[in-house]
Amino acid sequence: MRINVSQQLKTSIGTIRNYEVGEIVNVAGGKSMVQGEVGLIRTDRGILAKGTLYTEVEVTCSRCLSLFSCPLTLNIEEEYFPTTDVVSSASLPLPEEPGCFTIDEHHVIDLAEAIRQYALLVIPMKPLCRGDCAGLCPNCGHNLNQGPCDCLSQEIEPRWSESSKLTLASDAVVNKQKGME
Ligand SMILES: [Zn+2]
Ligand SMILES: [Zn+2]
């Protein structure tokens, strides 16, 4: 997502150019289509990139562990600082701000890194494939979104019938002994 801004750097402060974005970017370990519009605004120090971009990333549901596409909205607003003077080609000192974005020596800005950083900020910590995801059965691991498993009926009934059999058997022994007296 590289945009040459050499012409815009020569224009007066406040000049705006709008870019339609529609590119594949490596986001959160996978390739994602990023779409939207970004305005590039000439500032007194460089170029401000501002706009809303939309993409989707593959994430794992924190309840049922299935992979699903999570839509993301990225409200980008980043100023890019020139490293080379567009007229004299002299190297320019970088601003003090740590981690600021720069315009390279060919007067190109690359939005991909900003997109990656903004995406990481909005990917949910505990993604859910849907609001009412039923999760996995803690016993057999069945995905309960695909319907109930057999655990409830298999689990509870045999246990009850086993203990009731034991009670009946011991009662029978007691009764037998009583009858023998
Ligand atoms: Zn889920
Ligand atoms: Zn189960």
Side-chain angles (χ1 to χ4, degrees):
M1 194 150 311
R2 296 166 60 78
I3 304 168
N4 190 305
V5 292
S6 59
Q7 290 309 311
Q8 197 175 5
L9 283 170
K10 293 171 187 165
T11 62
S12 52
I13 292 166
T15 309
I16 302 175
R17 286 165 74 193
N18 288 316
Y19 278 89
E20 288 283 335
V21 173
E23 271 183 64
I24 305 284
V25 178
N26 270 316
V27 180
K31 289 190 194 311
S32 299
M33 183 65 177
V34 179
Q35 287 177 300
E37 197 176 81
V38 169
L40 299 182
I41 303 140
R42 177 71 166 108
T43 64
D44 55 341
R45 299 190 296 177
I47 300 282
L48 177 70
K50 193 171 185 300
T52 304
L53 300 177
Y54 305 92
T55 189
E56 287 191 349
V57 291
E58 282 267 285
V59 292
T60 304
C61 176
S62 59
R63 270 191 212 155
C64 71
L65 307 181
S66 61
L67 276 177
F68 70 100
S69 261
C70 178
L72 304 177
T73 301
L74 314 176
N75 291 308
I76 305 268
E77 186 170 347
E78 283 296 332
E79 196 168 10
Y80 287 74
F81 300 97
T83 53
T84 305
D85 189 281
V86 72
V87 179
S88 69
S89 296
S91 289
L92 297 172
L94 281 182
E96 299 283 297
E97 287 147 70
C100 70
F101 290 102
T102 54
I103 305 168
D104 74 9
E105 67 272 26
H106 306 294
H107 316 296
V108 168
I109 68 172
D110 188 356
L111 294 177
E113 183 54 31
I115 288 168
R116 271 193 288 276
Q117 291 185 14
Y118 277 73
L120 288 180
L121 290 176
V122 295
I123 292 174
M125 297 283 279
K126 290 190 170 179
L128 286 180
C129 62
R130 56 190 217 210
D132 62 346
C133 171
L136 301 176
C137 168
N139 190 46
C140 71
H142 174 78
N143 187 340
L144 297 173
N145 294 318
Q146 294 159 8
C149 57
D150 298 329
C151 287
L152 272 185
S153 49
Q154 282 178 2
E155 267 285 292
I156 292 169
E157 283 173 20
R159 205 181 282 159
W160 275 107
S161 51
E162 277 305 311
S163 58
S164 52
K165 250 183 244 164
L166 282 174
T167 315
L168 286 174
S170 57
D171 279 356
V173 172
V174 171
N175 287 340
K176 221 186 240 175
Q177 283 170 346
K178 274 185 184 160
M180 281 167 72
E181 277 171 13

